[in-house]
Each structure stands twice: as C-alpha cells, then as structure tokens.
C-alpha cells in the first residue's frame, strides 16, 4: 500500500519544530536590535562631544544655556540650538537667528530681547 499524504501527527510535529526554531531566533534578533541601538546612541554622544569641541575652538568657551550678552542685546538659546551648526544641522536654524544685529533691527531692545531662564 502506498501513502500519498502526511498524517496529522506528522504535520503537528513539523509545526512544533518550526515554532521552537522561531522561539530560539527571537532572543537573538532582540539582542541584535539592542546592540544596534547602543551603537547608534554611542555614536550620537560622540558627535555631540565633537560638536562641543568645535564650538569651543570657534568661540573659545563651551556653549552655555540661558542669556548670553552679545553686543547690546541678550540671546537666550539652548545649548542644543547653539550646537546645531556644529552638528551639520544648520538648515534647522532660521536664517540670522544668532545674529544680534537682526534682533536689534527688528525693534528689540536689550531689555525686551532678554528672556529669563
């Protein structure tokens, strides 16, 4: 007598084996994802460190948070905003936002342009 089809037990065994193999692969995939996230985070911190060093080389001080006197006005931008040009993200900054002359010519006095932190 010739068998032409799988028995139900054989089919269940094959499905169980595939399930076990998938269960063994999931932790490895998760570990690879965590390693990739850690590597990306470390790279981002490295880029921030380089940006701070480049800022210091340019302005001779590290970026500060809060008010900074520039000419007759005060600028109040965050450290992250000050680092954007050094992170090659200058396109995110509106043109002339860090220039004191633009703030004064727009009618901002030193007292009005100063913001408290």
């Amino acid at each position: 007598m010739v068998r032409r089809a799988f028995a139900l037990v054989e089919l269940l065994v094959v499905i169980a084996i595939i399930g076990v193999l998938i269960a063994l692969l999931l932790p490895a995939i998760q570990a690879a994802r965590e390693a990739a996230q850690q590597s990306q985070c470390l790279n981002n911190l490295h880029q921030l460190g380089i940006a701070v060093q480049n800022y210091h080389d340019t302005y001779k001080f590290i970026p500060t948070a809060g008010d900074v006197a520039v000419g007759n006005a005060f600028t109040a931008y965050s450290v992250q905003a000050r680092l954007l040009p050094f992170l090659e993200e200058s396109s995110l900054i509106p043109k002339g936002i860090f220039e004191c002359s633009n703030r004064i010519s727009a009618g901002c006095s030193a007292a009005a342009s100063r913001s408290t932190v």
Side-chain angles (χ1 to χ4, degrees):
M1 186 160 102
V2 179
R3 280 179 46 179
R4 294 187 180 192
F6 287 109
L8 182 60
V9 173
E10 292 172 336
L11 184 61
L12 291 175
V13 168
V14 169
I15 291 173
I17 290 172
I18 291 173
V20 168
L21 290 175
I22 289 174
L24 290 173
L25 283 176
L26 285 179
I29 292 171
Q30 184 64 27
R33 284 182 183 165
E34 287 179 12
Q37 289 173 348
Q38 183 179 6
S39 175
Q40 183 180 9
C41 183
L42 187 62
N43 184 44
N44 288 344
L45 288 173
H46 181 74
Q47 293 300 321
L48 278 173
I50 291 172
V52 170
Q53 287 178 343
N54 288 337
Y55 186 97
H56 182 268
D57 290 344
T58 302
Y59 297 109
K60 304 301 181 219
F61 61 91
I62 60 172
T64 58
D67 293 345
V68 176
V70 179
N72 294 331
F74 289 88
T75 60
Y77 300 109
S78 68
V79 173
Q80 293 86 352
R82 294 177 195 279
L83 289 178
L84 283 175
F86 299 95
L87 291 170
E88 299 179 1
E89 296 291 344
S90 296
S91 62
L92 297 176
I93 303 171
K95 187 172 182 171
I97 195 169
F98 289 132
E99 296 175 11
C100 180
S101 60
N102 287 347
R103 293 176 63 118
I104 293 173
S105 65
C108 298
S109 65
S113 63
R114 184 177 185 176
S115 64
T116 59
V117 178

